[in-house]
């Protein structure tokens, strides 16, 4: 697109043509009292040198702590090639190009991404991605309501074992659209068919099952899926992609498989970056494909029979359907799924299985080491993936602070979201944690708890 | 000039209505509408038993370039959606007034405000 500058004369000519005296006149519609000259608390602009200095100081404050927190975002090794390739100029945009078919390389990459995600989840189709794991649950719930034609209730069951941030994101997204998210308490750390019995025979649109769940525990996905389908409830799976290297994919849960599967791509080559940006994935069975929001890339042939890629099933998107579009999210996280696609292509299915096994083994080692510390016990002794809930004999927050002072991020304090669990700490170890790291944490935790006893 | 059989009634939003022998009505989209949409690739037909008010959207017809709502000019209860359109949406293109019907409705009242074939043709001419 050529750059076209506006000279003051051009601006005046345009203003005169429409009968306005100044550019400010164009904003007459907005009442004076709603206009602000400046934002309180926002300082003046800094120049490049100043902002560079400020950011270096802030970055240094992060240090290089030893990280044992997961809770939805996971520290994994990212091969250098992932971002060396992703940050090439040809890929370096967050967006699908507006003239999409002119960018065959970008479309092919998205097509490869979709293929890998459907292969990982054993589902039929994937879209080109959403914002993150939370927005993916929200879109999956909206999609379930559109897809489940016999259910009129718009009731979506969300067990408390689903990531609380995903529950909040879903609640915020669907507020005002008439959907009802109903929390199912799971006091034993996982959702059981018994917890769902009271809904038998009721009109429920969908059930969300997270695997592994927020506590790291493996849900009995086969029994839950079969119960849901027997009761005319669609199943929305929220899954960790790393775990799919070894766990049964949602497309194979129970007799019929999950109806919609979603999750967060962050573990696939996306750095933690203080919480984002990440990318969400969303997949479904072919029968629901027209209810899927966002973009889908398809492979086709041109007039000469040559392979080409095209955006497909766009007719229900916002630029055509306006207010009746399947979703108001018609964008995707192009750059981050570029990283995820390159990550998956580099490590391959065997590599992913090895990483998943290593995460599980390191977490088992971590749990064993930490529960040997006096004042620490395990909350839910159940099969797990790479996280576990520990119960401390005192409030968690001061312990986490003391560990942070020793360069250790000790885990996620659950007392805010799960006060009923007591002094609960969610810990995680991925393949990046070594036996030596785990010993450092266990020793520091033992010291911290002892020191606190002495102080008391 | 697009085809519009004289024995049917029409709406300004390009639906047609046929009164069947059993008193139910059959509704579809006109030849003009299918021609404007182009090749249809999907039709979202309503479930039997659904109750509709006059003016409600009851179906979505999707072509490669657009997805559009179809509105019922008559209130009532859906008797059946045309199941054949699931695998052959192109029936609406090839025979809009026969195999391309979209739903059959048990009317809740007498259809009102519909156009005759001649009035519909005049409407098309005026729409340009």
């Amino acid at each position: 697109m050529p750059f076209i500058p506006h000279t003051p004369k051009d601006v005046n000519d345009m203003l005169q043509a429409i009968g306005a005296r100044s550019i400010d006149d164009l904003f007459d519609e907005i009442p004076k009292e709603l206009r602000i000259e400046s934002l309180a608390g926002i300082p003046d602009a800094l120049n490049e040198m100043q902002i560079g200095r400020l950011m270096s100081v802030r970055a240094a404050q992060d240090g290089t702590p030893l990280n044992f927190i997961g809770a939805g975002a996971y520290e994994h090794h990212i091969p250098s090639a992932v971002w060396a390739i992703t940050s090439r100029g040809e890929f370096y945009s967050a967006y699908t190009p507006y003239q999409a078919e002119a960018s065959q390389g970008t479309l092919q990459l998205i097509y490869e991404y979709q293929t890998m995600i459907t292969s990982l989840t054993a589902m039929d189709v994937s879209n080109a991605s959403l914002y993150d794991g939370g927005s993916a649950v929200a879109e999956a719930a909206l999609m379930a309501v559109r897809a489940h034609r016999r259910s009129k209730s718009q009731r979506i069951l969300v067990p408390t074992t689903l990531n609380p941030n995903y529950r909040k994101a879903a609640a915020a997204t669907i507020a005002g659209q008439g959907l009802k998210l109903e929390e199912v308490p799971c006091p034993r750390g996982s959702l059981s068919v018994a917890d769902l019995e009271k809904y038998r025979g009721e009109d429920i649109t969908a059930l969300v099952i997270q695997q592994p769940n927020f506590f790291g525990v493996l849900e009995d996905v086969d029994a839950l899926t079969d119960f849901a389908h027997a009761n005319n409830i669609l199943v929305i799976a929220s899954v960790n992609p790393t775990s799919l290297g070894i766990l049964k994919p949602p497309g194979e849960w129970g007799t019929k498989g999950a109806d919609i599967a979603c999750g967060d791509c962050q573990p696939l080559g996306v750095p933690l970056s203080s919480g984002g940006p990440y990318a969400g994935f969303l997949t479904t069975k072919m029968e629901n494909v027209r209810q899927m929001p966002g973009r889908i890339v398809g492979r086709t042939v041109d007039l000469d029979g040559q392979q080409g890629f095209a955006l497909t099933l766009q007719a229900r998107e916002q630029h055509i359907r306006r207010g009746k579009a399947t979703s108001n999210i018609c964008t995707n996280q192009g750059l981050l799924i570029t990283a995820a696609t390159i990550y998956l292509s580099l490590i391959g299915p065997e590599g992913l299985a090895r990483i998943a096994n290593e995460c599980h083994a390191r977490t088992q080692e971590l749990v064993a080491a930490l529960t040997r510390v006096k004042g620490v016990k395990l909350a839910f002794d159940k099969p797990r993936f790479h996280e576990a809930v520990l119960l401390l004999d005192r409030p968690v927050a001061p312990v986490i602070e003391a560990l942070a002072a020793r360069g250790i991020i000790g885990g996620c304090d659950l007392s805010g979201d799960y006060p009923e669990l007591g002094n609960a700490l969610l810990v995680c170890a991925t393949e990046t944690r070594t036996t030596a790291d785990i010993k450092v944490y266990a020793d520091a935790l033992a010291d911290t708890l002892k020191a606190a006893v002495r102080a008391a | 000039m697009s085809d519009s059989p004289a024995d049917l009634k029409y709406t300004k939003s390009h639906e047609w209505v046929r009164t069947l022998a059993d008193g139910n009505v059959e509704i579809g989209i006109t030849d003009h509408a299918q021609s404007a949409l182009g090749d249809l690739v999907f039709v979202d037909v309503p479930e039997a038993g659904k109750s509709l008010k006059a003016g409600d959207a009851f179906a979505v017809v999707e072509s490669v370039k657009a997805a559009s709502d179809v509105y019922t000019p008559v209130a009532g209860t859906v008797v059946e959606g045309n199941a054949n359109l699931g695998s052959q949406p192109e029936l609406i293109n090839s025979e809009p007034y026969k195999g391309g019907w979209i739903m059959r409705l048990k009317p809740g009242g007498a259809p009102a405000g519909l156009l005759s074939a001649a009035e519909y043709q005049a409407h098309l001419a005026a729409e340009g």
Side-chain angles (χ1 to χ4, degrees), chain A residues 110-118 126-128 295-297:
Chain A
I110 296 173
Y111 183 80
E112 304 286 356
Y113 160 82
Q114 292 171 180
T115 305
M116 289 182 193
I117 293 292
T118 50
S126 164
N127 78 358
R295 307 190 148 223
I296 302 172
V297 174

Side-chain angles (χ1 to χ4, degrees), chain A residues 238-434:
Chain A
S238 171
V239 289
N240 176 314
T242 308
S243 76
L244 295 178
I246 51 176
L247 295 180
K248 184 189 274 190
E252 294 170 9
W253 291 1
T255 312
K256 287 165 62 189
D259 301 283
I260 301 169
C262 60
D264 201 308
C265 290
Q266 181 278 324
L268 307 176
V270 178
L272 291 170
S273 306
S274 307
Y278 300 155
F281 60 87
L282 183 68
T283 64
T284 191
K285 293 177 179 170
M286 194 51 89
E287 66 203 64
N288 301 322
V289 69
R290 283 172 196 280
Q291 307 305 335
M292 181 162 260
R295 307 190 148 223
I296 302 172
V297 174
R299 187 175 64 178
T300 185
V301 287
D302 66 12
L303 281 176
D304 303 324
Q306 305 278 335
Q307 173 180 279
F309 298 89
L311 286 183
T312 187
L313 291 172
Q314 320 187 55
R316 291 173 177 242
E317 277 201 38
Q318 212 170 18
H319 61 288
I320 294 174
R321 286 280 276 165
R322 306 276 168 166
K324 288 178 176 169
T326 46
S327 168
N328 62 357
I329 300 179
C330 293
T331 185
N332 70 306
Q333 286 282 24
L335 187 67
L336 298 159
I337 64 157
T338 302
T341 306
I342 295 166
Y343 176 91
L344 284 172
S345 68
L346 284 171
I347 61 170
E350 277 177 44
L352 193 68
R354 273 165 47 205
I355 291 165
N357 276 318
E358 192 67 14
C359 288
H360 175 66
R362 294 282 80 76
T363 298
Q364 295 298 74
E365 195 181 329
L366 177 71
V367 169
L370 298 185
T371 51
R372 278 196 294 272
V373 174
K374 193 169 175 326
V376 181
K377 59 181 193 194
L378 181 63
F380 309 115
D381 191 8
K382 297 184 171 189
R384 69 177 70 90
F385 178 51
H386 67 355
E387 287 181 272
V389 178
L390 303 178
L391 297 174
L392 306 190
D393 62 359
R394 70 201 69 187
V396 169
V399 176
I400 287 182
E401 278 176 34
L403 290 167
R406 305 170 69 134
I408 296 167
I409 299 178
C412 176
D413 180 359
L414 298 185
S415 59
D417 286 310
Y418 299 94
E420 67 278 11
L421 294 179
N423 301 320
L425 174 68
L426 181 65
V427 296
C428 170
T430 66
E431 83 283 4
T432 58
R433 293 288 75 84
T434 64

Side-chain angles (χ1 to χ4, degrees), chain A residues 57-138:
Chain A
V57 170
R58 295 228 174 128
Q61 287 170 359
D62 282 349
T64 47
L66 208 47
N67 180 21
F68 291 93
I69 193 168
Y74 303 94
E75 182 182 346
H76 289 288
H77 172 66
I78 302 172
S80 309
V82 171
W83 283 91
I85 300 170
T86 305
S87 54
R88 284 180 63 102
E90 298 90 329
F91 285 129
Y92 210 57
S93 162
Y95 290 98
T96 324
Y98 284 99
Q99 195 184 354
E101 279 73 19
S103 303
Q104 285 291 308
T106 300
L107 292 190
Q108 180 173 356
L109 183 124
I110 296 173
Y111 183 80
E112 304 286 356
Y113 160 82
Q114 292 171 180
T115 305
M116 289 182 193
I117 293 292
T118 50
S119 158
L120 207 51
T121 52
M123 302 295 284
D124 297 331
V125 283
S126 164
N127 78 358
S129 75
L130 298 167
Y131 290 129
D132 54 25
S135 62
V137 168

Side-chain angles (χ1 to χ4, degrees), chain A residues 149 290 315-316 320-321 324, chain B residues 42 44-45 60 62 67 69:
Chain A
R149 305 188 61 159
R290 283 172 196 280
R316 291 173 177 242
I320 294 174
R321 286 280 276 165
K324 288 178 176 169
Chain B
F42 183 72
D44 201 359
V45 300
V60 181
E62 187 174 324
D69 287 323

Side-chain angles (χ1 to χ4, degrees), chain A residues 290, chain B residues 39-45 62 81-94 99-101:
Chain A
R290 283 172 196 280
Chain B
D39 289 345
L40 289 181
V41 292
F42 183 72
V43 183
D44 201 359
V45 300
E62 187 174 324
N82 186 350
N84 291 333
L85 297 178
S87 55
Q88 297 168 274
E90 66 275 13
L91 284 173
I92 290 181
N93 295 115
S94 58
W101 64 274

